[in-house]
Amino acid sequence: MTMRAALPARGRDRGQVTIEFLGMTPTILVTLVVLWQLVLVGYAFTLAGNAADEAVRAGTAAAPGARQGACRAAGLDKLSGAWAEGATVNCTTSGGLVTADVKLNVPLLFPGTISLPLDVEGHAGAVEEETD
């Protein structure tokens, strides 16, 4: 009598990878959604900082009476419609220094949809330009 080595039963493992992948799919999707939301928060910080820089640059070049309007227009100029909807831009001058503060709402998954209860702020300052 000859003894055969027991071969693994390959038929029993068929479809195991598919079942495991289906089980992991919700975890993978939730991870991707969380990463995307973190990217949006980071992008909101970048946009707020850039808008504050643009606003203060325009504010320093404008006459003191027209400073707030020029500052606000320049701060909102580079923001797309979805990001500019809830944005606030404020410029102040004190002691020869012009400062701009920009506040943006962070959207939930896509700009233009519901916003998170999280606001991102950008701040910039520059020395007031002298007029000749």
Side-chain angles (χ1 to χ4, degrees):
M1 178 164 24
T2 60
M3 304 235 354
R4 287 190 195 172
L7 296 174
R10 295 187 189 266
R12 292 187 308 180
D13 290 342
R14 181 168 287 165
Q16 183 66 31
V17 173
T18 304
I19 296 300
E20 289 175 3
F21 179 73
L22 287 175
M24 288 299 295
T25 299
T27 304
I28 293 168
L29 290 176
V30 167
T31 302
L32 289 174
V33 166
V34 168
L35 287 174
W36 176 249
Q37 189 61 50
L38 290 175
V39 166
L40 279 178
V41 171
Y43 187 57
F45 274 104
T46 302
L47 285 177
N50 183 56
D53 288 340
E54 294 288 332
V56 79
R57 190 173 299 125
T60 58
R67 185 163 288 152
Q68 183 64 27
C71 182
R72 178 166 172 69
L76 295 176
D77 182 48
K78 302 287 191 220
L79 297 175
S80 68
W83 289 96
E85 282 178 12
T88 59
V89 180
N90 293 315
C91 284
T92 57
T93 305
S94 66
L97 184 69
V98 178
T99 60
D101 294 304
V102 176
K103 187 183 289 188
L104 296 178
N105 296 328
V106 177
L108 179 63
L109 296 180
F110 299 104
T113 61
I114 321 169
S115 293
L116 291 175
L118 170 70
D119 291 331
V120 170
E121 295 181 7
H123 178 78
V127 177
E128 191 174 12
E129 291 184 8
E130 292 182 9
T131 56
D132 292 332

